[in-house]
Amino acid sequence: MSDGVAQQPVEPQVEQPLRVMVVDDHPMWRDAVERDLAAAGFDVVAVAADGHQALARFPAARPQVVVLDLQIPGPNGVEVTAQVLQHDPSARVLILSASGEQADVLEAVKAGATGYLVKSASREELLDAVRRVAAGDTVFTPGLAGLVLGEFRRMADGPVDDPRDELTDRETEILKMVAKGMSYKQIAERLVISHRTVQNHVQNTLRKLQMNNRVQLTRWAIEHGLDDDDE
């Protein structure tokens, strides 16, 4: 016997897999997306074939990311997005749709989706988008980001009250980078700070501006011309 208290083995910290729900009314496509996600190490906690199933299964499944088709029976993808985020504002919605139409993209973003990929995206692009959306980034199929940002500019109707006096210099600096479409990782590398610090600054900015998510923050920053400011 060794004297003293026997040391307990240190349990390694195991990172929990990202919880994802897949909603699509085409069984072959839904199954393929589920297989790709599972093979990449994601935890597919639920699947659904229509809006009613999605909304019924979401509360118990508690996914962090919902990969959602827009054109589904029952409540469509836009309505599901809005209701899912009303139930759990911390969830993220990634639209995966056959449509790249401007109206569809903008409706989804206005409902709170933080990503939009067309179904021609590669498997790698989908997996990367799920990871980035979960981390709080906004992700769009190339070509759609400019469309969305351009529309937000057109929706801005003149000068509005400027609450930027509430923000610190660093929060304003990060807000400008968010408005230019930079990811949290890119911002962290540019400013030589941690990813977590960037997230904390963004959360503080959201609280001060009384907003719920990065999509709203990006829209506000663009309306105030922050994406055009010199760094």
Side-chain angles (χ1 to χ4, degrees):
M1 283 180 62
S2 60
D3 34 59
V5 179
Q7 289 189 343
Q8 295 295 323
V10 178
E11 291 290 333
Q13 292 292 325
V14 179
E15 188 173 335
Q16 294 299 314
L18 195 63
R19 299 166 62 85
V20 185
M21 179 178 184
V22 180
V23 184
D24 197 299
D25 62 327
H26 293 91
M28 289 181 62
W29 184 267
R30 184 175 64 244
D31 292 348
V33 171
E34 181 182 4
R35 280 196 305 271
D36 286 346
L37 291 171
F42 295 106
D43 183 8
V44 181
V45 293
V47 296
D50 58 46
H52 290 297
Q53 285 184 0
L55 294 174
R57 295 172 184 176
F58 177 83
R62 296 181 296 108
Q64 294 160 275
V65 177
V66 180
V67 178
L68 174 65
D69 187 13
L70 277 187
Q71 287 80 24
I72 53 175
N76 65 25
V78 170
E79 294 167 325
V80 170
T81 297
Q83 291 190 48
V84 156
L85 296 177
Q86 186 176 14
H87 185 275
D88 181 5
S90 70
R92 299 287 180 261
V93 176
L94 171 64
I95 300 297
L96 186 60
S97 174
S99 170
E101 293 296 318
Q102 175 173 339
D104 289 334
V105 178
L106 295 177
E107 283 298 310
V109 171
K110 289 173 188 174
T114 47
Y116 195 111
L117 291 186
V118 294
K119 286 186 173 180
S120 57
S122 68
R123 175 180 179 275
E124 290 71 26
E125 286 172 329
L126 170 62
L127 299 178
D128 180 61
V130 172
R131 294 187 188 99
R132 288 180 58 194
V133 165
D137 284 349
T138 50
V139 183
F140 295 97
T141 289
L144 296 184
L147 179 156
V148 173
L149 300 186
E151 180 66 14
F152 282 160
R153 282 199 189 90
R154 286 190 290 275
M155 289 166 61
D157 45 25
V160 293
D161 292 339
D162 187 356
R164 275 183 284 178
D165 293 341
E166 297 272 329
L167 305 180
T168 65
D169 289 344
R170 178 48 63 90
E171 287 166 354
T172 300
E173 185 177 23
I174 290 174
L175 182 56
K176 290 178 182 179
M177 296 182 183
V178 169
K180 291 173 182 172
M182 294 176 65
S183 69
Y184 288 170
K185 180 181 179 183
Q186 290 170 324
I187 294 172
E189 290 173 351
R190 174 75 64 87
L191 299 179
V192 198
I193 57 179
S194 72
H195 184 280
R196 176 69 64 183
T197 300
V198 174
Q199 285 184 311
N200 289 340
H201 281 304
V202 171
Q203 287 303 315
N204 289 337
T205 302
L206 287 169
R207 178 177 51 78
K208 289 179 181 180
L209 298 179
Q210 298 182 337
M211 296 176 187
N212 298 318
N213 56 53
R214 182 170 168 165
V215 172
Q216 293 176 338
L217 185 63
T218 302
R219 175 179 171 180
W220 182 91
I222 291 165
E223 289 177 346
H224 285 71
L226 291 185
D227 60 322
D228 294 323
D229 286 2
D230 293 331
E231 292 180 25

mmCIF file of all heavy atoms in Angstrom, residues 70-71 95 97-109 116-118 143-144 147-148:
data_model
loop_
_atom_site.group_PDB
_atom_site.id
_atom_site.type_symbol
_atom_site.label_atom_id
_atom_site.label_comp_id
_atom_site.label_asym_id
_atom_site.label_seq_id
_atom_site.Cartn_x
_atom_site.Cartn_y
_atom_site.Cartn_z
ATOM 1 N N LEU A 70 -36.355 25.657 -46.695
ATOM 2 C CA LEU A 70 -37.415 26.679 -46.680
ATOM 3 C C LEU A 70 -38.747 26.131 -47.162
ATOM 4 O O LEU A 70 -39.803 26.398 -46.578
ATOM 5 C CB LEU A 70 -37.023 27.870 -47.571
ATOM 6 C CG LEU A 70 -36.129 28.949 -46.992
ATOM 7 C CD1 LEU A 70 -36.028 30.101 -47.983
ATOM 8 C CD2 LEU A 70 -36.646 29.454 -45.655
ATOM 9 N N GLN A 71 -38.710 25.368 -48.258
ATOM 10 C CA GLN A 71 -39.943 24.897 -48.887
ATOM 11 C C GLN A 71 -40.372 23.569 -48.283
ATOM 12 O O GLN A 71 -40.123 22.499 -48.851
ATOM 13 C CB GLN A 71 -39.765 24.769 -50.405
ATOM 14 C CG GLN A 71 -39.716 26.097 -51.132
ATOM 15 C CD GLN A 71 -38.358 26.768 -51.055
ATOM 16 O OE1 GLN A 71 -37.358 26.108 -50.859
ATOM 17 N NE2 GLN A 71 -38.327 28.077 -51.206
ATOM 18 N N ILE A 95 -30.280 27.888 -43.084
ATOM 19 C CA ILE A 95 -31.170 27.504 -44.178
ATOM 20 C C ILE A 95 -30.363 26.766 -45.239
ATOM 21 O O ILE A 95 -29.280 27.208 -45.637
ATOM 22 C CB ILE A 95 -31.839 28.747 -44.809
ATOM 23 C CG1 ILE A 95 -32.664 29.507 -43.759
ATOM 24 C CG2 ILE A 95 -32.700 28.337 -45.998
ATOM 25 C CD1 ILE A 95 -33.816 28.728 -43.171
ATOM 26 N N SER A 97 -31.380 25.464 -48.832
ATOM 27 C CA SER A 97 -32.529 25.527 -49.732
ATOM 28 C C SER A 97 -32.105 25.407 -51.193
ATOM 29 O O SER A 97 -30.985 25.764 -51.567
ATOM 30 C CB SER A 97 -33.269 26.857 -49.524
ATOM 31 O OG SER A 97 -34.306 27.015 -50.470
ATOM 32 N N ALA A 98 -33.034 24.915 -52.019
ATOM 33 C CA ALA A 98 -32.787 24.884 -53.459
ATOM 34 C C ALA A 98 -32.903 26.279 -54.058
ATOM 35 O O ALA A 98 -32.428 26.538 -55.169
ATOM 36 C CB ALA A 98 -33.781 23.945 -54.134
ATOM 37 N N SER A 99 -33.540 27.186 -53.336
ATOM 38 C CA SER A 99 -33.784 28.539 -53.852
ATOM 39 C C SER A 99 -32.688 29.515 -53.446
ATOM 40 O O SER A 99 -32.300 29.568 -52.277
ATOM 41 C CB SER A 99 -35.125 29.062 -53.316
ATOM 42 O OG SER A 99 -35.269 30.444 -53.617
ATOM 43 N N GLY A 100 -32.216 30.264 -54.431
ATOM 44 C CA GLY A 100 -31.310 31.366 -54.142
ATOM 45 C C GLY A 100 -31.967 32.694 -54.458
ATOM 46 O O GLY A 100 -31.300 33.709 -54.646
ATOM 47 N N GLU A 101 -33.307 32.690 -54.516
ATOM 48 C CA GLU A 101 -34.047 33.897 -54.846
ATOM 49 C C GLU A 101 -33.901 34.944 -53.744
ATOM 50 O O GLU A 101 -33.959 34.623 -52.556
ATOM 51 C CB GLU A 101 -35.530 33.577 -55.052
ATOM 52 C CG GLU A 101 -35.833 32.712 -56.263
ATOM 53 C CD GLU A 101 -35.470 33.408 -57.574
ATOM 54 O OE1 GLU A 101 -35.746 34.628 -57.697
ATOM 55 O OE2 GLU A 101 -34.909 32.747 -58.455
ATOM 56 N N GLN A 102 -33.765 36.188 -54.165
ATOM 57 C CA GLN A 102 -33.550 37.274 -53.219
ATOM 58 C C GLN A 102 -34.645 37.332 -52.155
ATOM 59 O O GLN A 102 -34.359 37.452 -50.965
ATOM 60 C CB GLN A 102 -33.495 38.608 -53.974
ATOM 61 C CG GLN A 102 -33.389 39.821 -53.044
ATOM 62 C CD GLN A 102 -33.176 41.108 -53.825
ATOM 63 O OE1 GLN A 102 -32.740 41.081 -54.957
ATOM 64 N NE2 GLN A 102 -33.472 42.232 -53.208
ATOM 65 N N ALA A 103 -35.893 37.209 -52.567
ATOM 66 C CA ALA A 103 -36.997 37.324 -51.612
ATOM 67 C C ALA A 103 -36.917 36.232 -50.548
ATOM 68 O O ALA A 103 -37.151 36.496 -49.360
ATOM 69 C CB ALA A 103 -38.335 37.250 -52.344
ATOM 70 N N ASP A 104 -36.572 35.002 -50.962
ATOM 71 C CA ASP A 104 -36.473 33.901 -50.001
ATOM 72 C C ASP A 104 -35.341 34.130 -49.010
ATOM 73 O O ASP A 104 -35.488 33.907 -47.804
ATOM 74 C CB ASP A 104 -36.238 32.573 -50.742
ATOM 75 C CG ASP A 104 -37.473 32.111 -51.506
ATOM 76 O OD1 ASP A 104 -38.593 32.495 -51.107
ATOM 77 O OD2 ASP A 104 -37.316 31.386 -52.500
ATOM 78 N N VAL A 105 -34.203 34.575 -49.528
ATOM 79 C CA VAL A 105 -33.047 34.813 -48.667
ATOM 80 C C VAL A 105 -33.370 35.891 -47.631
ATOM 81 O O VAL A 105 -33.118 35.728 -46.428
ATOM 82 C CB VAL A 105 -31.818 35.234 -49.499
ATOM 83 C CG1 VAL A 105 -30.635 35.523 -48.587
ATOM 84 C CG2 VAL A 105 -31.456 34.152 -50.510
ATOM 85 N N LEU A 106 -33.943 36.998 -48.089
ATOM 86 C CA LEU A 106 -34.214 38.113 -47.190
ATOM 87 C C LEU A 106 -35.271 37.762 -46.158
ATOM 88 O O LEU A 106 -35.164 38.158 -44.988
ATOM 89 C CB LEU A 106 -34.637 39.354 -47.990
ATOM 90 C CG LEU A 106 -33.553 39.929 -48.905
ATOM 91 C CD1 LEU A 106 -34.086 41.100 -49.704
ATOM 92 C CD2 LEU A 106 -32.330 40.344 -48.101
ATOM 93 N N GLU A 107 -36.305 37.009 -46.563
ATOM 94 C CA GLU A 107 -37.328 36.602 -45.593
ATOM 95 C C GLU A 107 -36.718 35.735 -44.500
ATOM 96 O O GLU A 107 -37.055 35.863 -43.325
ATOM 97 C CB GLU A 107 -38.452 35.836 -46.310
ATOM 98 C CG GLU A 107 -39.419 36.729 -47.071
ATOM 99 C CD GLU A 107 -40.149 37.693 -46.156
ATOM 100 O OE1 GLU A 107 -40.703 37.252 -45.134
ATOM 101 O OE2 GLU A 107 -40.151 38.900 -46.461
ATOM 102 N N ALA A 108 -35.830 34.834 -44.895
ATOM 103 C CA ALA A 108 -35.195 33.949 -43.917
ATOM 104 C C ALA A 108 -34.330 34.740 -42.944
ATOM 105 O O ALA A 108 -34.355 34.510 -41.729
ATOM 106 C CB ALA A 108 -34.354 32.893 -44.638
ATOM 107 N N VAL A 109 -33.562 35.689 -43.467
ATOM 108 C CA VAL A 109 -32.690 36.499 -42.615
ATOM 109 C C VAL A 109 -33.508 37.374 -41.674
ATOM 110 O O VAL A 109 -33.203 37.508 -40.485
ATOM 111 C CB VAL A 109 -31.736 37.355 -43.476
ATOM 112 C CG1 VAL A 109 -30.978 38.349 -42.617
ATOM 113 C CG2 VAL A 109 -30.763 36.454 -44.232
ATOM 114 N N TYR A 116 -27.341 30.870 -44.762
ATOM 115 C CA TYR A 116 -28.174 30.487 -45.904
ATOM 116 C C TYR A 116 -27.272 29.877 -46.967
ATOM 117 O O TYR A 116 -26.430 30.563 -47.546
ATOM 118 C CB TYR A 116 -28.905 31.709 -46.465
ATOM 119 C CG TYR A 116 -30.054 31.383 -47.402
ATOM 120 C CD1 TYR A 116 -31.371 31.631 -47.021
ATOM 121 C CD2 TYR A 116 -29.838 30.832 -48.668
ATOM 122 C CE1 TYR A 116 -32.436 31.350 -47.865
ATOM 123 C CE2 TYR A 116 -30.887 30.537 -49.517
ATOM 124 C CZ TYR A 116 -32.183 30.801 -49.113
ATOM 125 O OH TYR A 116 -33.238 30.510 -49.950
ATOM 126 N N LEU A 117 -27.441 28.584 -47.196
ATOM 127 C CA LEU A 117 -26.707 27.886 -48.250
ATOM 128 C C LEU A 117 -27.695 27.350 -49.274
ATOM 129 O O LEU A 117 -28.788 26.911 -48.917
ATOM 130 C CB LEU A 117 -25.927 26.695 -47.683
ATOM 131 C CG LEU A 117 -24.720 26.940 -46.781
ATOM 132 C CD1 LEU A 117 -24.052 25.601 -46.479
ATOM 133 C CD2 LEU A 117 -23.724 27.893 -47.412
ATOM 134 N N VAL A 118 -27.304 27.395 -50.539
ATOM 135 C CA VAL A 118 -28.116 26.714 -51.549
ATOM 136 C C VAL A 118 -27.661 25.262 -51.603
ATOM 137 O O VAL A 118 -26.540 24.927 -51.201
ATOM 138 C CB VAL A 118 -27.987 27.388 -52.937
ATOM 139 C CG1 VAL A 118 -28.581 28.778 -52.906
ATOM 140 C CG2 VAL A 118 -26.535 27.428 -53.395
ATOM 141 N N GLY A 143 -22.057 35.168 -53.000
ATOM 142 C CA GLY A 143 -22.975 35.913 -53.857
ATOM 143 C C GLY A 143 -24.211 36.379 -53.123
ATOM 144 O O GLY A 143 -24.761 37.432 -53.417
ATOM 145 N N LEU A 144 -24.630 35.609 -52.110
ATOM 146 C CA LEU A 144 -25.825 35.997 -51.359
ATOM 147 C C LEU A 144 -25.520 37.021 -50.278
ATOM 148 O O LEU A 144 -26.369 37.829 -49.924
ATOM 149 C CB LEU A 144 -26.476 34.759 -50.720
ATOM 150 C CG LEU A 144 -27.024 33.709 -51.689
ATOM 151 C CD1 LEU A 144 -27.722 32.603 -50.907
ATOM 152 C CD2 LEU A 144 -27.994 34.332 -52.679
ATOM 153 N N LEU A 147 -25.908 40.455 -51.597
ATOM 154 C CA LEU A 147 -27.324 40.725 -51.833
ATOM 155 C C LEU A 147 -28.010 41.159 -50.539
ATOM 156 O O LEU A 147 -28.744 42.143 -50.499
ATOM 157 C CB LEU A 147 -27.977 39.450 -52.382
ATOM 158 C CG LEU A 147 -29.469 39.416 -52.711
ATOM 159 C CD1 LEU A 147 -29.716 38.324 -53.744
ATOM 160 C CD2 LEU A 147 -30.319 39.134 -51.491
ATOM 161 N N VAL A 148 -27.746 40.412 -49.462
ATOM 162 C CA VAL A 148 -28.384 40.714 -48.178
ATOM 163 C C VAL A 148 -27.911 42.068 -47.642
ATOM 164 O O VAL A 148 -28.716 42.899 -47.208
ATOM 165 C CB VAL A 148 -28.077 39.602 -47.160
ATOM 166 C CG1 VAL A 148 -28.593 39.980 -45.777
ATOM 167 C CG2 VAL A 148 -28.712 38.292 -47.612
#
